[in-house]
Amino acid sequence: MSESANHPMAELQFREALRDAMTEEMVRDENVFLMGEEVAEYDGAYKVSQGMLDQFGPKRVIDTPIAENGFSGLGIGAAMMGLRPVVEFMTWNFTFVAFDQIVSNAAKIRYMSGGQLKVPIVFRGGNGAAGQLAATHNNSTEAFYTNVPGLKVIAPSNPDDAKGLLKSAIRDDDPVLFMESELMFGLKGEVSDEEDYTLPIGKARIAREGDDVTLVAHSKSYWLAMEAAEELAKQGYEATVIDPRTLRPFDTGAVVDSVKQTNRLVIVDECSPYGGIASEVAFRIQSQCFDYLDAPVARVTAKDTPAPYAKNLIEAWMPTVDEVIAAAKGALYVE
Amino acid sequence: MANETKKAPAKKRTAKAERAPKKQTTNGKAASGAATGPQDLPDGADFRMYTGGGHTHESLGLEPDELLAMYRSMMLQRRFEERAAQMYGRQKISGFLHLYIGQEAVSAGTVHALQDTDPIITAYRDHGLGLARGMTANECMAELFGKIDGSSRGKGGSMHFFDVENHFYGGHGIVGGQIPLAVGMGFAAKYKETGAVAVGFFGDGAISQGSFHEAANLAALYEIPVLLVCENNGYAMGTAVDRAVSEPDLYKQAYAYDMTGALVNGMDVFEVYYAMGELAKQAREQSKPALVEIRTYRYRGHSMSDPQKYRTKEEMESKKNEDPIIRLKSYLIDHDLATNEQLDALDDEVKAEVHASVEFAENSPFPPVETMYEDVYVQDDYPFIV
């Protein structure tokens, strides 16, 4: 992280970075509280909230029944009254039960009230595909929610971004959806020790620079893109890798600037291809720097089916490094 | 009347049964017929019956000017909506328009029983509660007209009245979706120790929604000071209560969540005032929720597009005999608290206020197109425009 380059770094797991962010914000502001399934007594289904009940007590770290619609709505009502809830979903797969609350209430109450109300709430939890869990437990939900004006959507790829962005999300006066990859909770990385470390919502990170092709990838897909970039480098092609970090707002300018240099774009995204994040990014790029493109924009996504169970099928269903390399080479007109 | 917990006398039960919506189509479970009622209640359940007709203003400690204020509130709601219906017919108002006419005792009685800072939230049939809570006819009519001087700057319309200054939190359009919000508002009151009681209104149709059941469970589980108030007007859109709910005595749902259940006569503003005052006091002092079923009746269709073929003219006429406004008017005159002339003059005053609101709405400009992009986010420099 360039923002924290001058500060000492601690090696933390993704889940620890999230916990630090929440803990710091709860210490700072007594209006912040955490609720969700298994967040308190169980110490967090993915141990994100481990120890927080002991530190803050049951008033501020609250176990809920398995009732996503009810407790997400409770959080929205509390936010309307000036509290700043962090509502943990065990995974975003289960938010379809709470879809009405997020989409009809959190996103729209400010607008429908003519600006009389604000809804400063964070919904967070594991997102995306996580192996052989079959169709209902393998959804990358970003595209559903970025489709809704009134919401902000964040999906970081490393512990440092997770901490800085979650702290910003909790302080944000608008409803923020914070998506963590289910398979990344144990991912380790250096995290800034800077006091009160926050990152701006809406700013992309240039993770790698190269002149031949631009790869855009968020959350877990970012690591596929980085691996593909390393392999491409071995074959003589240098890729720029951009992690947008936040999906709504989206840092279109960062991608446009890069494509003007590389003239080629591949987007990696675990969502379904139809109406996914990749589709939106492709549209923006063709509309803003069409004349700079030397090849059609390519995308690598999940396959356009529900997620299958069988090992070979789910592996083929997910975007892969090989597919990213192939897409980049396609854009480069090689092989 | 009777605040005695549980077991109202059988006679009162019968009287209540007569107020229950009767429709030609029924599966045999009348909404509160002889087969249902307090004698069916489980042991240990906390049920209250507020059957109506037993209170005087003296017994309630209400001053004559308070009665007139309630009367005025009810008249304003009715005259406002009569005029709104007219304006809808003239296509000055578009979209959905769900009228509250017939239910005014619920809003007036509730608002007068609560503290001003107790937050109220309701569904899409929201004009009555908004006006009762202090919204002006001007801002309401302008909102219905979709004008910039409307309460939501023309972005909410009929279903989304909000008046946060007066602790009125809307105005929500998805059936039952606001009930968890009500619980969250009560949660915030408890968390911040404000001493407020949140009051969440919903219709009889919402009692079948999962959001009601999830919210009721959370409210009881977390001991939240909230009143979950079901305004049972007999029909969820065009479907009678007993055709939609397996237990048409909706207040009995309270038993499943171990909370107080109450049945209130919603045509008697004194009874609503009394019941809501008592239940709010309990919620405030004990930090506990209650489920309140207020039986009322709407004379108009579900919305302006409803031909109301699901009920008979006779049923509607019989209900008009219970009209909450006529009922209070008779009381005021019978008790020498007001004369016919005084009440007529008050009506004229309210009509003039509503008339002026139409003029105000007509003269207010449509929202400038650029305001479409305002109020989406608090962050005003947000680059959301695609």
Side-chain angles (χ1 to χ4, degrees):
Chain A
M1 280 308 319
S2 56
E3 284 92 338
S4 54
N6 298 325
H7 297 276
M9 307 288 267
E11 179 98 345
L12 292 181
Q13 286 186 339
F14 200 89
R15 62 163 62 83
E16 292 168 333
L18 295 169
R19 186 188 310 143
D20 281 1
M22 289 194 291
T23 300
E24 287 177 23
E25 291 307 296
M26 284 177 67
V27 167
R28 191 184 60 81
D29 181 352
E30 66 179 19
N31 286 324
V32 180
F33 67 95
L34 171 68
M35 72 187 317
E37 293 150 2
E38 317 273 43
V39 299
E41 300 275 345
Y42 191 88
D43 259 346
Y46 291 102
K47 304 296 173 205
V48 173
S49 57
Q50 193 166 40
M52 289 180 68
L53 174 63
D54 286 343
Q55 184 172 355
F56 296 104
K59 180 189 173 185
R60 300 181 68 194
V61 181
I62 304 163
D63 279 324
T64 67
I66 304 170
E68 286 84 0
N69 177 296
F71 69 72
S72 59
L74 190 161
I76 294 165
M80 288 162 69
M81 303 298 291
L83 296 183
R84 308 186 79 87
V86 177
V87 173
E88 176 175 312
F89 292 116
M90 193 174 286
T91 90
W92 281 88
N93 294 290
F94 308 152
T95 65
F96 302 144
V97 179
F99 200 70
D100 176 52
Q101 289 299 335
I102 299 169
V103 171
S104 303
N105 289 341
K108 294 173 182 165
I109 280 173
R110 179 169 183 79
Y111 198 72
M112 294 195 303
S113 69
Q116 291 184 60
L117 283 161
K118 57 183 182 181
V119 184
I121 191 168
V122 174
F123 297 103
R124 50 153 291 270
N127 181 51
Q132 289 181 261
L133 301 177
T136 57
H137 287 59
N138 270 326
N139 293 285
S140 290
T141 64
E142 301 91 304
F144 295 114
Y145 293 109
T146 51
N147 190 246
V148 183
L151 301 178
K152 295 178 178 176
V153 180
I154 300 178
S157 67
N158 64 63
D160 189 67
D161 288 356
K163 181 174 179 185
L165 287 166
L166 183 54
K167 281 170 67 78
S168 295
I170 292 169
R171 295 181 193 192
D172 200 287
D173 277 336
D174 290 312
V176 180
L177 280 51
F178 199 91
M179 299 181 177
E180 302 143 15
S181 168
E182 278 190 52
L183 293 180
M184 282 170 35
F185 285 119
L187 177 78
K188 279 193 170 176
E190 291 192 323
V191 176
S192 172
D193 279 345
E194 185 183 342
E195 197 179 320
D196 215 15
Y197 177 61
T198 59
L199 287 172
I201 295 170
K203 190 140 177 46
R205 181 170 60 90
I206 313 295
R208 188 186 194 285
E209 292 193 77
D211 291 336
D212 297 322
V213 60
T214 301
L215 307 180
V216 172
H218 67 274
S219 192
K220 182 149 52 71
S221 300
Y222 162 81
W223 298 99
L224 293 189
M226 286 300 277
E227 200 177 328
E230 296 304 323
E231 180 55 34
L232 285 166
K234 286 180 197 161
Q235 299 179 25
Y237 309 105
E238 291 298 333
T240 289
V241 177
I242 299 176
D243 177 358
R245 303 195 283 197
T246 75
L247 302 174
R248 186 181 181 103
F250 186 89
D251 189 351
T252 310
V255 183
V256 168
D257 289 347
S258 175
V259 169
K260 283 180 177 175
Q261 301 293 318
T262 63
N263 314 112
R264 292 169 167 84
L265 175 63
V266 176
I267 307 145
V268 194
D269 167 22
E270 285 187 10
C271 294
S272 296
Y274 200 121
I277 300 294
S279 306
E280 176 65 25
V281 176
F283 167 80
R284 290 180 180 214
I285 294 310
Q286 68 80 23
S287 65
Q288 293 193 29
C289 51
F290 180 77
D291 289 341
Y292 290 89
L293 285 170
D294 286 344
V297 175
R299 65 182 178 183
V300 179
T301 65
K303 306 306 174 286
D304 200 16
T305 72
Y309 165 73
K311 187 166 190 297
N312 65 319
L313 294 184
I314 186 67
E315 282 171 3
W317 185 83
M318 295 291 297
T320 64
V321 173
D322 287 346
E323 287 173 326
V324 179
I325 294 168
K329 285 185 169 177
L332 287 156
Y333 299 110
V334 294
E335 292 188 7
Chain B
M1 63 173 157
N3 61 325
E4 296 86 4
T5 47
K6 320 160 211 220
K7 325 278 184 217
K11 206 171 213 172
K12 283 178 181 158
R13 218 154 55 232
T14 311
K16 211 157 36 258
E18 287 166 4
R19 277 191 297 280
K22 293 227 174 66
K23 60 251 122 311
Q24 54 279 54
T25 50
T26 162
N27 62 7
K29 278 188 181 177
S32 67
T36 60
Q39 81 274 22
D40 294 340
L41 299 175
D43 289 342
D46 179 13
F47 286 109
R48 318 283 176 87
M49 298 296 143
Y50 302 89
T51 56
H55 292 291
T56 65
H57 69 287
E58 284 129 340
S59 73
L60 294 171
L62 285 167
E63 298 297 327
D65 62 336
E66 290 180 88
L67 299 191
L68 285 171
M70 285 200 274
Y71 184 79
R72 191 182 196 287
S73 171
M74 289 162 74
M75 286 303 302
L76 176 62
Q77 294 173 51
R78 182 155 305 181
R79 296 301 182 215
F80 177 87
E81 291 207 313
E82 286 170 351
R83 187 52 75 101
Q86 202 179 40
M87 292 297 117
Y88 193 88
R90 289 186 202 165
Q91 298 184 318
K92 295 287 185 183
I93 299 172
S94 300
F96 290 132
L97 187 70
H98 307 89
L99 299 182
Y100 198 66
I101 290 173
Q103 303 184 210
E104 297 94 340
V106 180
S107 49
T110 296
V111 166
H112 280 78
L114 295 178
Q115 295 182 1
D116 290 345
T117 49
D118 290 334
I120 293 179
I121 187 168
T122 189
Y124 46 81
R125 201 178 302 283
D126 59 355
H127 309 159
L129 272 160
L131 287 164
R133 248 303 156 95
M135 293 183 78
T136 65
N138 279 358
E139 64 180 319
C140 290
M141 193 63 81
E143 188 58 34
L144 296 181
F145 276 53
K147 299 297 187 72
I148 190 67
D149 295 310
S151 47
S152 291
R153 307 175 78 218
K155 288 180 182 142
S158 167
M159 297 188 288
H160 309 296
F161 281 9
F162 288 81
D163 183 2
V164 173
E165 204 174 305
N166 282 312
H167 304 273
F168 179 63
Y169 289 87
H172 296 264
I174 306 293
V175 172
Q178 79 282 9
I179 308 173
L181 269 49
V183 175
M185 289 158 55
F187 175 94
K190 182 176 181 179
Y191 190 99
K192 295 165 107 174
E193 299 175 14
T194 64
V197 173
V199 182
F201 284 86
F202 50 96
D204 45 282
I207 208 111
S208 301
Q209 285 276 2
S211 55
F212 162 72
H213 295 277
E214 294 189 22
N217 180 50
L218 290 167
L221 184 69
Y222 297 151
E223 298 183 333
I224 289 175
V226 60
L227 300 181
L228 304 177
V229 186
C230 180
E231 278 187 272
N232 180 356
N233 63 21
Y235 300 93
M237 297 190 289
T239 302
V241 171
D242 69 342
R243 293 184 56 233
V245 188
S246 59
E247 171 50 87
D249 281 336
L250 306 179
Y251 64 94
K252 290 181 181 172
Q253 301 274 3
Y255 183 69
Y257 300 104
D258 193 23
M259 65 172 80
T260 298
L263 179 63
V264 183
N265 179 352
M267 307 309 267
D268 179 349
V269 71
F270 285 178
E271 199 68 43
V272 175
Y273 171 83
Y274 178 65
M276 293 301 281
E278 185 171 85
L279 293 163
K281 184 169 185 281
Q282 173 182 290
R284 208 182 308 277
E285 288 174 356
Q286 300 178 15
S287 190
K288 277 185 178 171
L291 173 64
V292 189
E293 178 188 356
I294 304 185
R295 291 217 178 135
T296 180
Y297 199 76
R298 63 165 155 80
Y299 301 147
R300 302 298 180 105
H302 169 70
S303 71
M304 293 301 284
S305 60
D306 174 8
Q308 306 186 63
K309 288 182 179 162
Y310 46 84
R311 56 182 175 183
T312 62
K313 273 199 170 122
E314 292 73 36
E315 176 185 311
M316 287 221 271
E317 286 310 312
S318 76
K319 290 294 174 187
K320 284 185 182 172
N321 297 331
E322 298 178 43
D323 189 294
I325 294 181
I326 294 173
R327 192 167 174 149
L328 180 56
K329 184 176 185 178
S330 303
Y331 182 94
L332 289 167
I333 290 168
D334 292 350
H335 289 73
D336 294 324
L337 296 167
T339 63
N340 244 323
E341 291 69 37
Q342 278 177 303
L343 296 180
D344 284 350
L346 190 148
D347 190 14
D348 287 343
E349 187 188 308
V350 167
K351 279 180 179 161
E353 189 176 332
V354 171
H355 184 79
S357 77
V358 171
E359 205 170 319
F360 176 83
E362 289 272 20
N363 292 333
S364 174
F366 282 109
V369 171
E370 61 269 22
T371 66
M372 177 162 43
Y373 297 100
E374 296 170 1
D375 308 324
V376 182
Y377 296 93
V378 177
Q379 184 185 330
D380 57 11
D381 62 345
Y382 183 74
F384 59 85
I385 302 165
V386 170

